Amino acid sequence: MFKGKPPFSLYQRYFQNMHQPGPIAVFDSGYGGLTILNDLLSSFPEYDFTYLGDNARSPYGGRSFDVVYRYTLQAVKSLFAMGSPLVILACNTASAKALRTIQQIDLPHIDASRRVLGVIRPSAEKIGELTQSGCVGVLGTTGTVLSESYPLEIKKLFPHIRVEQEACPMWVPLVENNEHLSEGAHFFVKKNIENLFKKAPETDTIILGCTHYPLLKPVIKKHVPAGVRIISQGPIVAESLKDYFARHPEMESRISRNNRCLFYTTEHPNKFSQTASIFMDREITAIRLEY
């Protein structure tokens, strides 16, 4: 339920608007998904969007598969109840640990006409046309790295590509504490990138496997060898969604178009709004959502 006076009854709206046009929902464990949202807003300016950050329980990176799945399913159900026919899991950890189960087990029972998409598959599909050396690095949270989702997805599509990973547990706190351009950020970024290149010096393409990491890109560029590509997920996800709508016009027709974006958080809305400005570069007003 919502803290304070809710703008609507979630479940009343769900049953009333099951087949009415609704917003594209973007879910993240915290703030990082806002980097994905920025690119989606640029690519689909006329569409409506809803963003939900589970900031009260973030980060997801070190949590178990079962916990991440349970939290993510709660978010998906809430976003469906708010009228979204399509939910994008902008969180790499949620995409890695919850997406497949939700798609295969839960959606047929919740509403088979709705869809949940992730961010790992689109990045994996793109990588084949980017690497020349055939060696790709993935920088991600501990949870995403341990899930092996990127190596598995890339190997399905491009068996010849070698994938090396490096967990970067300090990067998200650096971003969320607005320390991503500090000397401390340089220390940790340099250390993790050196670890990656020790494992695979021939790496020519790096995937930023966490939606927080694009804010560290200026620092990352200073510590990678010249000529190495650094891939952010936002533009790839936006391009992939365009392709998805071209292949599924029945879903695109269900998206409402009022050029409106609403923000929800499980944390205090003022705190969310203040930190979100780091990612959005503009003021926003958030609404608190409690499960």
Side-chain angles (χ1 to χ4, degrees):
M1 63 180 179
F2 284 92
K3 189 76 171 180
K5 184 179 179 181
F8 45 73
S9 167
L10 285 180
Y11 295 98
Q12 180 183 15
R13 176 167 177 174
Y14 177 74
F15 289 112
Q16 287 179 345
N17 297 336
M18 284 179 66
H19 302 293
Q20 296 298 314
I24 299 168
V26 178
F27 170 70
D28 190 79
S29 60
Y31 301 100
L34 294 168
T35 62
I36 301 288
L37 179 64
N38 274 327
D39 285 291
L40 291 172
L41 289 170
S42 295
S43 297
F44 303 94
E46 73 277 20
Y47 291 17
D48 292 340
F49 287 87
T50 297
Y51 183 89
L52 172 58
D54 191 9
N55 304 82
R57 301 188 294 196
S58 89
Y60 281 12
R63 295 188 182 274
S64 68
F65 274 74
D66 180 66
V67 169
V68 172
Y69 160 69
R70 183 158 41 88
Y71 288 178
T72 305
L73 182 60
Q74 284 181 323
V76 167
K77 287 180 176 179
S78 293
L79 290 164
F80 282 165
M82 284 189 257
S84 293
L86 171 65
V87 177
I88 297 173
L89 303 185
C91 175
N92 280 267
T93 303
S95 293
K97 295 184 175 183
L99 176 63
R100 192 175 299 267
T101 303
I102 290 172
Q103 288 176 329
Q104 296 179 355
I105 304 300
D106 298 298
L107 267 184
H109 300 288
I110 299 171
D111 187 340
S113 73
R114 301 189 187 229
R115 293 292 179 266
V116 181
L117 305 177
V119 294
I120 292 176
R121 179 77 180 193
S123 302
E125 291 173 340
K126 190 73 175 176
I127 209 67
E129 65 188 60
L130 298 176
T131 179
Q132 299 297 315
S133 69
C135 186
V136 172
V138 176
L139 300 170
T141 65
T142 301
T144 296
V145 168
L146 289 177
S147 75
E148 292 285 322
S149 293
Y150 275 99
L152 290 171
E153 288 294 335
I154 292 172
K155 289 293 183 182
K156 287 178 190 175
L157 300 167
F158 310 103
H160 64 285
I161 292 180
R162 176 186 173 189
V163 182
E164 288 291 346
Q165 302 187 99
E166 173 70 11
C168 310
M170 291 300 297
W171 290 21
V172 168
L174 285 167
V175 172
E176 293 198 351
N177 287 283
N178 204 17
E179 294 289 336
H180 52 286
L181 301 179
S182 68
E183 289 185 12
H186 279 273
F187 173 82
F188 287 107
V189 169
K190 182 174 183 290
K191 177 182 177 181
N192 290 127
I193 288 175
E194 285 178 349
N195 289 344
L196 178 65
F197 278 90
K198 283 177 184 175
K199 289 181 271 191
E202 67 274 32
T203 298
D204 70 346
T205 305
I206 292 176
I207 300 173
L208 301 183
C210 173
T211 50
H212 283 69
Y213 295 179
L215 274 74
L216 283 157
K217 207 167 183 179
V219 179
I220 296 169
K221 285 181 178 179
K222 292 182 180 296
H223 298 289
V224 299
V228 173
R229 292 175 181 262
I230 303 169
I231 307 303
S232 300
Q233 293 174 300
I236 294 173
V237 172
E239 180 183 337
S240 178
L241 186 59
K242 284 184 179 180
D243 178 68
Y244 180 83
F245 282 152
R247 290 181 289 109
H248 298 279
E250 75 285 356
M251 177 55 71
E252 185 177 27
S253 69
R254 296 179 64 184
I255 306 302
S256 56
R257 308 184 187 199
N258 303 293
N259 190 25
R260 182 172 59 189
C261 185
L262 300 178
F263 297 87
Y264 297 90
T265 176
T266 56
E267 244 284 8
H268 193 284
N270 291 343
K271 182 180 186 300
F272 178 88
S273 299
Q274 182 178 6
T275 304
S277 65
I278 300 171
F279 295 83
M280 298 296 293
D281 198 28
R282 65 180 174 90
E283 290 187 7
I284 66 165
T285 301
I287 301 167
R288 186 173 185 178
L289 172 67
E290 287 186 351
Y291 297 124

